[in-house]
Amino acid sequence: MKKPPLIWLNLSLFILTFGGAVTLVPWRELTHGFDAVEWLTFVLLAFFSGLSITGGYHRLWSHKTYKANAAVRFFYALGGALALQNSALHWSSDHRVHHKHVDDNDKDPYSAKMGFWYSHIGWMLREYQAHRYHDYSNVRDLQNDAIVMWQHKHYLLLTVLMNIGLPAFLGWLNGDVLSMVLLAGLARLVVVHHCTFFINSLAHIWGSQPYTDKNTARDNPLLAFLTYGEGYHNFHHIFENDYRNGIHWWDYDPTKWLIKSLSWLGMAKDLRKVPQERIESAKLQMQLKRSQHKLAGRKDAEELIEKLQLEYERLKQQLMAYYEAKKELLEARRAHLCVNELLPRVAELKARLKLQQQNWNSLTAACR
Ligand SMILES: [Zn+2]
Ligand SMILES: [Zn+2]
C-alpha cells in the first residue's frame, strides 16, 4: 500500500530540533558552560510546558476531569504553545479519537498496535487519517472556550514567542541570550517532546495491566516520572474522567498535585473522581480473569474455578456493602447527624472485608 505524503513541516521540525539539541547544546556546554540560572530555567520551563499538556490539554480539555478559571486556562494555552504539540483544540480532538478507538489501526491516530516508532512520532510525519486536520466535530464543546479558540487562531505566532521570544528575553535578563535559548528553549523542547510522546508509545507497551486488558495501556511508575504522572495509563484508559492518573497518595503524579493545589487556591473546581468501589471491582475482575486463565489445563481446574467464582462474588458483595456504609457515614457526618450507630457497622464491615480479602489472596496465590 502506498504511504500517505510526508508532512515536511513536522519532519523538518523534529529533525532540526533534535539535531540541534544533540550538537549545539553539548558544544555550548563544552566551550562556554551553562550556569545555575539556565539549568533552573530549563527545569521550570520543562514543567511549565509539560504540565500544560498533561494538566491542560489532557486532563482539562480532552477529558474535562475538572473545571479551571480563565487565568489557569490562559497559562495552559501559553504552556501548550511552549510545548509545541499543536493547538489544544487539535490535540484534544486527536486524543478523544485515541480513547474512543484505542488500538484500532484505522482510526486511533497513534495506535500502539502499529509499533513503537509509529505511536511515538511516526504518526505525525505523514498525513495519516488526513481528515483529522480539519474535522473538529468531536470538540464542539471546546470551540465555546474563547481561550482555546484564541490559542488555535494564533498558534504559530504563540509558538515562536514562547519558544524563542521567552527564552531569549530570560537570557537577556541573565546576560547570555544564546545559552538560554539553547538550554531552556531547544534542549527543553526536545526533552519534553519525547517524554510526553512516551505516553502514546511506551505507556502502551511497557508495564502492568491491573485494571483492564481490553486495550494496550499500561501502568508504569518509572514512566510516570518522565511523563508528569501520566504513566498510570492503564488506570487512565478505563477511568478517563478521573482527574488523577496515579490514585495512591504515594504515586508520582505532579499533574494531580497541581490540579488539587489549584482547587485549594479556588482556581479549579469540580474535580472528578471515580468511586473507589468501581476501581476495586475492576482490579478484582482482572485478578479473577488472570487466575482463571492460569488454571486452564490443570487437573483440578473445574473445582478451583468454581471456588474462585464463589469467593469473587462474596468479596464483591462485601466490597459494595462496605463502601455503601462508608458513603452513608460520610453523608450523615455532612448533615451533622449522630453517627454513633453507624460507626460500629462500618468497622464490622471493614473487618469482614479484610478477612474476605485475605481468603481471596490465598486462593489466587494457590492458582499460580
Ligand atoms: Zn493512551
Ligand atoms: Zn487520555
Side-chain angles (χ1 to χ4, degrees):
M1 208 177 73
K2 205 169 159 266
K3 282 186 175 174
L6 283 166
I7 304 174
W8 286 101
L9 177 71
N10 289 3
L11 187 68
S12 37
L13 182 99
F14 286 129
I15 291 176
L16 286 175
T17 52
F18 187 82
V22 296
T23 52
L24 297 177
V25 178
W27 161 78
R28 190 68 177 167
E29 166 66 25
L30 290 173
T31 56
H32 191 271
F34 294 110
D35 69 16
V37 176
E38 284 149 0
W39 280 111
L40 183 69
T41 315
F42 167 87
V43 173
L44 288 177
L45 291 193
F47 271 89
F48 177 33
S49 51
L51 287 170
S52 293
I53 293 295
T54 60
Y57 279 32
H58 189 214
R59 300 192 203 181
L60 176 73
W61 282 314
S62 299
H63 293 301
K64 312 194 102 181
T65 66
Y66 67 104
K67 293 193 181 96
N69 72 5
V72 173
R73 285 183 284 128
F74 177 67
F75 273 99
Y76 283 156
L78 293 183
L82 180 65
L84 206 56
Q85 296 188 15
N86 218 325
S87 70
L89 188 76
H90 184 90
W91 198 105
S92 303
S93 172
D94 276 352
H95 194 70
R96 285 182 186 177
V97 179
H98 167 62
H99 273 263
K100 196 170 170 196
H101 299 289
V102 63
D103 300 327
D104 178 336
N105 288 351
D106 294 322
K107 289 180 179 158
D108 181 353
Y110 25 88
S111 173
K113 292 229 165 126
M114 296 281 284
F116 174 84
W117 175 257
Y118 179 86
S119 59
H120 189 71
I121 198 167
W123 67 279
M124 290 176 274
L125 301 181
R126 287 178 183 276
E127 277 178 40
Y128 297 103
Q129 302 160 24
H131 65 276
R132 292 188 296 112
Y133 293 95
H134 47 81
D135 178 10
Y136 295 124
S137 54
N138 66 342
V139 281
R140 288 222 172 87
D141 52 319
L142 301 184
Q143 294 176 35
N144 294 325
D145 186 329
I147 293 172
V148 169
M149 294 318 285
W150 167 79
Q151 192 226 32
H152 187 68
K153 199 172 157 199
H154 303 290
Y155 188 69
L156 203 62
L157 176 69
L158 284 172
T159 57
V160 176
L161 282 178
M162 293 304 291
N163 280 285
I164 300 169
L166 179 68
F169 173 68
L170 295 173
W172 174 72
L173 286 180
N174 193 43
D176 184 344
V177 172
L178 183 63
S179 294
M180 194 66 99
V181 169
L182 287 180
L183 193 65
L186 188 63
R188 184 263 329 149
L189 176 73
V190 172
V191 168
V192 174
H193 259 169
H194 291 281
C195 282
T196 39
F197 295 167
F198 279 151
I199 306 165
N200 298 336
S201 54
L202 278 184
H204 276 268
I205 295 170
W206 180 32
S208 61
Q209 295 183 296
Y211 304 99
T212 179
D213 61 359
K214 290 201 174 97
N215 58 64
T216 53
R218 314 282 157 139
D219 270 18
N220 185 328
L222 192 73
L223 274 184
F225 187 71
L226 297 176
T227 57
Y228 309 86
E230 305 260 70
Y232 303 96
H233 208 55
N234 187 252
F235 175 84
H236 173 64
H237 264 274
I238 183 169
F239 300 118
E240 62 185 55
N241 295 325
D242 199 308
Y243 84 95
R244 311 160 300 168
N245 275 14
I247 50 166
H248 307 104
W249 65 265
W250 64 83
D251 291 335
Y252 179 82
D253 187 352
T255 308
K256 165 184 80 176
W257 300 328
L258 170 75
I259 298 168
K260 193 76 188 163
S261 309
L262 288 172
S263 79
W264 284 330
L265 294 169
M267 300 169 88
K269 61 178 183 179
D270 300 343
L271 277 52
R272 289 162 79 183
K273 242 163 114 172
V274 175
Q276 189 62 24
E277 61 269 34
R278 277 187 55 204
I279 299 174
E280 299 288 343
S281 62
K283 244 163 73 176
L284 207 60
Q285 217 177 345
M286 271 307 294
Q287 287 166 2
L288 174 72
K289 199 172 170 183
R290 287 225 164 90
S291 300
Q292 283 173 337
H293 189 73
K294 274 177 196 147
L295 285 174
R298 254 172 73 163
K299 259 198 214 141
D300 52 352
E302 209 172 303
E303 194 187 322
L304 268 170
I305 285 177
E306 215 170 282
K307 202 170 170 204
L308 207 61
Q309 189 69 37
L310 193 76
E311 291 296 316
Y312 166 78
E313 301 292 347
R314 271 191 195 148
L315 182 52
K316 210 170 158 182
Q317 257 174 22
Q318 295 283 356
L319 196 82
M320 293 304 164
Y322 169 65
Y323 280 103
E324 193 57 44
K326 224 176 126 177
K327 211 165 92 189
E328 217 178 298
L329 179 69
L330 208 76
E331 274 162 14
R333 274 199 177 128
R334 257 191 218 137
H336 303 290
L337 298 171
C338 172
V339 291
N340 287 349
E341 272 181 32
L342 282 172
L343 279 174
R345 214 179 96 215
V346 173
E348 197 202 315
L349 284 170
K350 191 178 179 178
R352 269 202 238 162
L353 176 62
K354 204 173 161 193
L355 209 69
Q356 188 64 32
Q357 185 77 56
Q358 282 165 355
N359 275 348
W360 175 255
N361 290 348
S362 49
L363 188 63
T364 49
C367 292
R368 269 180 214 137

